[in-house]
Structures are given as C-alpha cells and as structure tokens.
Amino acid sequence: MKEIIKIVDLKRYFKVGEETVKALRGVSFTIHEGEFVTIMGTSGSGKSTLLNTLGCLDTPTSGEYLLDGISVQKMGKNERAKIRNRKIGFIFQNYNLLPKTTAMENVELPLIYNPTVSAKERAERAERCLRDVGLGERLYHKSNQMSGGQQQRVAIARALVNNPVIILADEATGNLDTRTSFSILTLFQRLHREGKTIIFVTHNPDLALYSSRNIMLRDGRITSDEYNHNIQSAEEALRALPKDMDE
Amino acid sequence: MIAANLLKVALKAMNNNKMRCFLTMLGVIIGVGAVIAMLAIGQGSKNSIKAQISEMGSNMIMIFPGSENRGGVRQSASDMQTLKPADYEALSREAQGILYMTPTVNGSGQWIYGNNNYPSQAQGVNTQYLDIRQRTVSEGEMFTEEDVRNAAKVCVLGKTLVENLFPDGTDPIGKVVRFGKIPMTVIGVLDEKGYNTMGQDQDDLALVPYTTVMKRVLASDYLQGIQASAVDENRTQETISEITDILRDQHRLREDQDSDFTIRSMQELAEMISSTSSMMTVLLAAVAGISLLVGGIGIMNIMIVSVTERTREIGLRMSIGATGRDIMMQFLIEAVILSVTGGILGILIGALATWMISIFANWPVAISTTSVVLSFAVCTIIGIVFGFYPAAKASRLDPIEAIRYE
Ligand SMILES: Nc1ncnc2c1ncn2[C@@H]1O[C@H](COP(=O)(O)OP(=O)(O)OP(=O)(O)O)[C@@H](O)[C@H]1O
Ligand SMILES: [Mg+2]
C-alpha cells in the first residue's frame, strides 16, 4: 500500500500574549492508504491541532507534511482548498453546521464548490449520505431544530458527500448514545473496507478495538503507536447490544 | 456553474435578512430615483426651449435699448430711451441683411367692450410683425401702412381677447372697443395658436399700429425694441454687425464709446438658455450623484458588517473547499444584487416621480434612455466598487481562524 500521509517532526506553536503554547512538539508518522487510525489522548494533548494540520486547514510551525507525496506547505491556498474539497472529508469536533439551514443544504455544501457535480446529482448524493447516517426522516429539518447527536450525524454526512479519499473525524461519536455510535462505527468500518483512509480522534479507549491502528498523544508527543491485528466488527457489537437499551 | 451556485447562496443570505437588504437598497433607490427625475426635468426644459425657438423662427434678431447689462449694474430709465423711430427708418433704408422688421412698443391696460373687460396689452407693431412671427389674420384684415402713418385707432385682436370681450359670440369686426380710455375699431382677428411649449397663451394679445401706442397710449418718442428677421439665418452674425454699424452711426457714437443698445439673435439666446439649463442639469445630476455615492457607501457598510457577522460561515465554507475567489464572488454578487435591484427600483420610482411632476407641476419632462442606461451601469459599478473591499476582506480570511471566531 502506498504512503498517503507522511509527517516528519511536525511542530505547532501558538502565541498567546507573551506565552507560547506548544500544541505539537515534534510528531512523526506515516499512514498508508486504507488504514483506519484512531488517535487518543487527554484533553489538550494536541489531537485537534494535529487533525487540522492533516486536513490542510492549519499550517505547522515547522516540520514536513507530505500528502500523497506532495508537500502541503508548498501548495498555494487555492490548491489546498481544492484538496479539502475533493480529497478530504472533515468532521469537526463542534459540528460547524450552517445555522438556519436544512440538513440537505448543509450536506450539499461541499459539492456547491465542485463544478463537475450537477444540482441533481448533488441532491441525490446528499440524500444518500443522510440516509446512511440514519437521518432519512430529517432531510429538511433546520440545523437548529436538531439534537446534538443529529447535528453530529449531519456533519458526518457532509464529510462523506464528496466521496473523499481520507476521512478525518474529530470526536465523531462523542455525542451519540451507544447504539447510534456503533451504527456510525459500522458505517466507518464499511468505508474502511471500501478502501478509504480514516483517522478518527476519540476519547473512548474501547474504540481502539475496532480500528487497525491506535496512536496515543500526550502533551504534543506520541506516546504509543500500535497496530491492531484483531479488528472487531462493530456490526456484531451492534447486534449484541440489548434491544431496549436506548428506547 | 459555480457562479450559479454562488448566486443561489447570495440570494439565500439576502433572503435571511430582507429588512436589512431593503434599508441598504434605500440609499441607492433614492439616489437613482433622484438622478432619473432630475435629468428628466433638465432634458424636458431643454426640449421645450428648442421647440420654442424653432416656433419663433431661428433667424430672429431683437434690438433693445440700453447697453449690455454688465455685472448686474442697474440701468437708469434714460439709458433705456435710446431707440427712436428714426433708427428704425435708418435700418429699413440701409440694412441689406434684414428681411422683415418691426418696431415694438407695448402698453398695458384694460381692454373694454360694453360690460366686459380684460386686462392685457396693446402691442404696437407694424404690418411686418405677421411675417416675422409667422401669424395670419383669420377674420377681417390687418391694419395698413397708412394706418401706421396716421396712428389710426384700429386693432387686430387675438382669440383670447375676442372670447373675453365678446362672450356671446358677436362678430367683433367693426365694433369699437376701448383700450383704457382710447376707443379703437376692431378690424381683424388673429389666427388661433393656443399655448406655446412654455405655457404662454399666444392668443392673449392685441396688435395696434406702433405709432398709435407711442402717441396715444404712452405719449413717448422712444421705441421699446425692434424685432427683425434676417434674410439668411446662417448669416445672422453678419446682419448683427451691419445693424450695429448703422445704429452706432445713427447715434453718433465715437469709437471708444459703448453701444447704447443691445442686439440679441434667437440663436444666441437659444445657446444661452440651453447652456444655463445644461449647467442646471449638471448641478442637479451632481447632487443626485452624491446621494447615489452615499447609497454605495451604505452598501459597503452593510457588507462589512455582514462579513464580520458571517466570519464563522466563511471559515466553514473555506474549510470544506471554497476558495478565496468563491467567497469573494459570493459577497460581490450580493453587493451587486443589492445595488442593481436598488437601481431598478430607483429607476421605477424616478419615472413615477417624473410622471407626477409633469402631471401636478405641469413641467416639461423627458426621461432619456441614456439616463436609464447610465444609472443602471453606475449602479452595477457602485456594487462592484463598494462591494469589493468587504468581499476582498472576506476572501482573505484564514479558514481555521475564521471558524473559531466568536
Ligand atoms: N488557536 C489556538 N490558539 C492558542 N492555543 C491553541 C489554539 N488551538 C489550540 N491551542 C492550544 O493547543 C493545545 C492543544 O489543543 P487541541 O485543541 O489540539 O487539544 P485536543 O487534544 O483536541 O483536546 P480536546 O480533547 O479537549 O479536544 C491546547 O493547550 C490549546 O489550548
Ligand atoms: Mg479536540
């Protein structure tokens, strides 16, 4: 499998007034196409910062980031925008949906900036993705009329709609009940089987059982990086859940 | 393709803020409305002056007593008594460039017949007046050269006077009417002309031999003016200098003395009036243009607020793949829609205002296609120019910072 993500000694410092916050203090790893990586770590350990950098949203203070062999730092703004639009599906920790806007419109958003997708195809794809995350009944509900978990699922659908090569999820199941989070996890495992590369930030240590690799962060450094050769099936776990648990 | 999507995005954003959009547009609406109405008034008065001048004959030359009024210095009564019948006679003897010519002396007073009276004028002229003004006598006859020589007490009435003095429809020819205390026999009635483009009644007049007005009405030896028509309207200027020479000679003026009379040609007058009215139009349009500018600044202001308010939205759009250019286009489209919609509404309101002015104030107006096209173009430009700064500001945002913006 080819290397799709390669970071070398990545550092990201933030200046806050007089002080410098060192969010990432030199992180290196390589992710191959088709891996399902979970990233764990305490709050403030730099997970979101790392994910933003991988998603071409943030630029590191120093270090090298090669995406598909191409240096991201050397790309122009527009090139990075195009990569975000076509290659990457990003799920934000706090959803970031457009207010006063329906689920459909939120999910269609990335395709608006892709001239190769017609209005008809856009609507079809958005609807399919919303059904995949279990929101088939909520297509035309506005974002502020939905629960936190539903908003999170809209955000997931939005990340899938452009059929990305890499999916970056920041706490994608953080707000969901066990049953829904397992069904989302099932969806991610299916995407993984279809060959997508997934990087999944989570606080839930149990989820490491369902990914192919787990990276632990602490204070902006990697403390462990382990492969999981015995991936469990989220679908089975879902079926094993007691039926009446959430109802 | 993307442009169509961005148009939808912009329309949706505006739809979420209808009231604010309307208020923003108001500046442009008022500005454009004012421009359209002002230019319509300016154009209308220009057109009516042109029409009037061609009505009066563009080869007309008018001679007034008194030197040219410089710097608004008031001229005394004696300055105004410089034209005499002798001057007129000299001109008719010597001036080659003059086709027709009449002295003018007007007396104002009441015209009376029986119980009816009507305040008007007695216009003292000679027989050539009809040729200069292109009028005819429709009933009876014009007075003759002999009547002029004898200062005969005869008059030719306009239709308005006839209607007021003979309301029962009596035939006025041969009747004796009075102008003040002086009895005059009606020998003719002028053709009906109605109102001219300036709204003056061209039938509210009575022609009397000028000698009669001088001797019997005003008891004056002086003329109030001489009207003439040039043989060739393209040689008006030469005719004017010919007249000047004759009159200066007649008045025995030395080289260094100013002329004690003023000559105006209709052409000159036309140019003067139309240049004043163009200046007025420019002034009015400038005032209106300033209000349009203010409207544009209003758009810029609201767009800046809107960009700040929607920083998070911009950050999100960028983070899922909108380029700076896409964001810029979105806000530019919004600004242009605001200004162009404002412009269209402004054109409609300006047209409405113009129509009301013509109905209620009875002013001549004309909306020119140029002013409509121009306002439309100016609005588009205003939208682009004033929308550019906020749009550029939006397009330069950093996605991750914008998305964190509170
Ligand atoms: N824009 C910023 N400016 C200043 N400091 C920042 C900024 N973004 C992150 N940080 C700091 O960097 C550190 C890492 O933050 P980050 O959001 O990556 O943590 P995290 O691992 O995602 O935590 P959580 O699990 O709570 O989401 C924190 O100490 C945070 O305060
Ligand atoms: Mg985080």
Side-chain angles (χ1 to χ4, degrees):
Chain A
M1 281 288 176
K2 74 171 174 188
E3 291 176 359
I4 189 148
I5 287 174
K6 182 185 173 94
I7 55 174
V8 183
D9 198 25
L10 207 67
K11 290 181 181 152
R12 182 69 170 104
Y13 299 163
F14 294 102
K15 269 236 170 329
V16 182
E18 293 292 290
E19 283 173 67
T20 307
V21 180
K22 299 184 173 176
L24 296 177
R25 301 164 187 253
V27 179
S28 310
F29 58 67
T30 302
I31 293 175
H32 292 85
E33 202 171 13
E35 281 192 74
F36 184 169
V37 183
T38 42
I39 297 182
M40 295 185 191
T42 49
S43 180
S45 56
K47 306 184 296 292
S48 295
T49 309
L50 178 61
L51 212 61
N52 288 341
T53 310
L54 296 181
C56 301
L57 282 167
D58 204 0
T59 35
T61 312
S62 73
E64 184 75 51
Y65 173 22
L66 298 175
L67 179 65
D68 221 351
I70 302 162
S71 168
V72 173
Q73 279 112 304
K74 293 206 182 89
M75 288 182 195
K77 262 187 168 184
N78 287 348
E79 261 176 286
R80 281 200 300 250
K82 195 164 177 184
I83 290 213
R84 290 198 294 270
N85 189 238
R86 311 287 156 83
K87 295 265 163 71
I88 295 173
F90 201 101
I91 303 158
F92 291 93
Q93 192 166 10
N94 49 359
Y95 332 135
N96 282 322
L97 300 183
L98 284 186
K100 294 194 232 168
T101 307
T102 64
M104 276 293 275
E105 283 169 307
N106 265 298
V107 174
E108 283 182 24
L109 210 54
L111 302 182
I112 279 181
Y113 298 101
N114 184 344
T116 61
V117 179
S118 71
K120 186 163 167 279
E121 192 189 344
R122 195 163 73 216
E124 282 168 5
R125 277 164 70 170
E127 190 178 333
R128 186 156 19 91
C129 289
L130 278 166
R131 289 198 191 289
D132 278 349
V133 295
L135 285 178
E137 312 292 299
R138 297 269 190 279
L139 298 181
Y140 297 101
H141 287 222
K142 300 220 164 132
S143 45
N144 45 328
Q145 298 165 341
M146 285 188 281
S147 73
Q150 287 166 340
Q151 291 183 42
Q152 188 154 39
R153 282 185 278 163
V154 175
I156 294 170
R158 185 179 63 196
L160 302 180
V161 79
N162 58 346
N163 206 8
V165 186
I166 305 171
I167 297 165
L168 302 171
D170 200 349
E171 294 286 359
T173 55
N175 254 314
L176 303 178
D177 56 81
T178 324
R179 177 173 289 277
T180 320
S181 61
F182 271 111
S183 74
I184 293 295
L185 207 56
T186 309
L187 176 64
F188 275 88
Q189 283 194 331
R190 198 187 80 209
L191 294 165
H192 177 222
R193 273 199 305 279
E194 285 165 11
K196 302 219 183 299
T197 309
I198 299 169
I199 302 176
F200 196 103
V201 167
T202 178
H203 275 125
N204 186 349
D206 295 343
L207 293 191
L209 298 173
Y210 302 92
S211 68
S212 67
R213 179 178 174 188
N214 185 35
I215 295 176
M216 295 284 280
L217 271 188
R218 191 170 168 188
D219 270 346
R221 285 202 181 86
I222 293 179
T223 52
S224 85
D225 183 352
E226 286 165 3
Y227 285 85
N228 175 10
H229 299 290
N230 184 18
I231 303 171
Q232 302 207 1
S233 162
E235 205 173 354
E236 279 167 23
L238 182 61
R239 253 186 269 121
L241 283 176
K243 275 257 157 26
D244 55 343
M245 194 172 137
D246 303 308
E247 270 76 22
Chain B
M1 181 65 207
I2 282 197
N5 293 340
L6 294 179
L7 180 69
K8 262 186 235 160
V9 170
L11 283 176
K12 180 147 192 296
M14 293 171 75
N15 194 38
N16 285 343
N17 260 317
K18 288 192 204 78
M19 189 62 189
R20 186 207 273 185
C21 286
F22 175 71
L23 290 176
T24 311
M25 275 192 269
L26 210 53
V28 177
I29 294 176
I30 293 171
V32 170
V35 168
I36 295 282
M38 295 299 161
L39 290 178
I41 291 169
Q43 190 61 42
S45 71
K46 225 183 218 171
N47 289 356
S48 90
I49 290 165
K50 261 190 211 150
Q52 174 128 13
I53 282 163
S54 66
E55 246 170 48
M56 301 220 295
S58 46
N59 60 344
M60 236 172 90
I61 295 170
M62 288 150 292
I63 308 164
F64 304 105
S67 58
E68 264 187 77
N69 194 354
R70 287 208 192 84
V73 179
R74 194 119 147 258
Q75 293 181 326
S76 68
S78 67
D79 285 340
M80 301 305 288
Q81 298 187 329
T82 57
L83 282 183
K84 290 200 211 137
D87 295 330
Y88 160 67
E89 280 149 25
L91 285 176
S92 48
R93 264 195 322 272
E94 296 166 30
Q96 303 291 316
I98 292 176
L99 184 59
Y100 301 116
M101 181 167 55
T102 175
T104 57
V105 260
N106 295 345
S108 41
Q110 293 281 338
W111 286 95
I112 305 163
Y113 180 74
N115 290 329
N116 303 312
N117 62 26
Y118 190 74
S120 184
Q121 288 194 325
Q123 290 199 11
V125 294
N126 72 8
T127 53
Q128 295 186 4
Y129 176 88
L130 296 183
D131 299 310
I132 297 171
R133 284 306 183 88
Q134 293 156 20
R135 303 284 304 244
T136 54
V137 172
S138 60
E139 291 168 50
E141 273 155 20
M142 183 61 177
F143 48 76
T144 59
E145 297 285 347
E146 177 147 2
D147 290 330
V148 175
R149 267 198 300 281
N150 298 339
K153 292 188 271 187
V154 292
C155 63
V156 176
L157 299 182
K159 269 275 157 41
T160 304
L161 268 165
V162 171
E163 277 158 21
N164 282 284
L165 296 179
F166 305 94
D168 51 358
T170 324
D171 181 12
I173 309 292
K175 300 286 185 302
V176 178
V177 298
R178 281 187 294 131
F179 181 69
K181 292 203 171 77
I182 305 142
M184 294 195 195
T185 309
V186 181
I187 57 166
V189 175
L190 282 169
D191 59 332
E192 193 169 352
K193 271 219 155 165
Y195 288 83
N196 69 7
T197 39
M198 294 293 249
Q200 290 166 328
D201 182 2
Q202 292 172 287
D203 298 319
D204 182 5
L205 84 172
L207 303 181
V208 176
Y210 73 94
T211 45
T212 312
V213 177
M214 285 173 69
K215 281 186 193 146
R216 303 183 196 279
V217 179
L218 299 176
S220 154
D221 292 334
Y222 297 95
L223 300 178
Q224 288 168 354
I226 297 171
Q227 291 185 5
S229 56
V231 176
D232 181 353
E233 75 173 85
N234 298 321
R235 296 179 57 182
T236 317
Q237 212 48 49
E238 288 155 52
T239 311
I240 288 175
S241 36
E242 190 185 12
I243 294 170
T244 309
D245 292 344
I246 295 170
L247 288 181
R248 283 183 69 90
D249 201 37
Q250 189 73 18
H251 293 181
R252 303 197 199 312
L253 296 174
R254 290 190 313 271
E255 279 292 313
D256 57 334
Q257 278 178 303
D258 285 340
S259 295
D260 55 358
F261 53 88
T262 308
I263 304 176
R264 292 243 176 280
S265 69
M266 203 42 118
Q267 282 180 340
E268 216 183 353
L269 200 69
E271 277 158 29
M272 218 168 71
I273 296 175
S274 88
S275 84
T276 345
S277 98
S278 315
M279 207 170 79
M280 278 305 287
T281 310
V282 168
L283 268 175
L284 292 175
V287 170
I290 287 172
S291 64
L292 198 57
L293 194 72
V294 172
I297 293 172
I299 289 185
M300 176 150 80
N301 186 20
I302 245 17
M303 293 305 294
I304 289 176
V305 171
S306 170
V307 165
T308 312
E309 258 182 16
R310 282 149 69 186
T311 301
R312 276 178 64 96
E313 177 197 322
I314 295 166
L316 172 69
R317 288 180 185 279
M318 286 179 140
S319 69
I320 56 164
T323 59
R325 206 176 141 266
D326 293 333
I327 298 295
M328 174 135 173
M329 283 301 285
Q330 177 188 333
F331 282 91
L332 262 188
I333 288 173
E334 213 176 305
V336 170
I337 290 176
L338 275 177
S339 65
V340 167
T341 315
I344 292 172
L345 290 177
I347 287 169
L348 293 179
I349 289 196
L352 189 74
T354 307
W355 178 73
M356 295 216 298
I357 288 167
S358 78
I359 295 282
F360 294 113
N362 219 350
W363 287 4
V365 294
I367 296 181
S368 62
T369 336
T370 345
S371 72
V372 172
V373 172
L374 200 77
S375 317
F376 199 79
V378 165
C379 279
T380 315
I381 292 169
I382 276 191
I384 292 172
V385 167
F386 287 97
F388 188 83
Y389 171 71
K393 195 176 139 165
S395 74
R396 280 195 300 267
L397 287 174
D398 179 70
I400 202 76
E401 272 170 35
I403 217 166
R404 284 229 176 88
Y405 183 88
E406 291 299 330

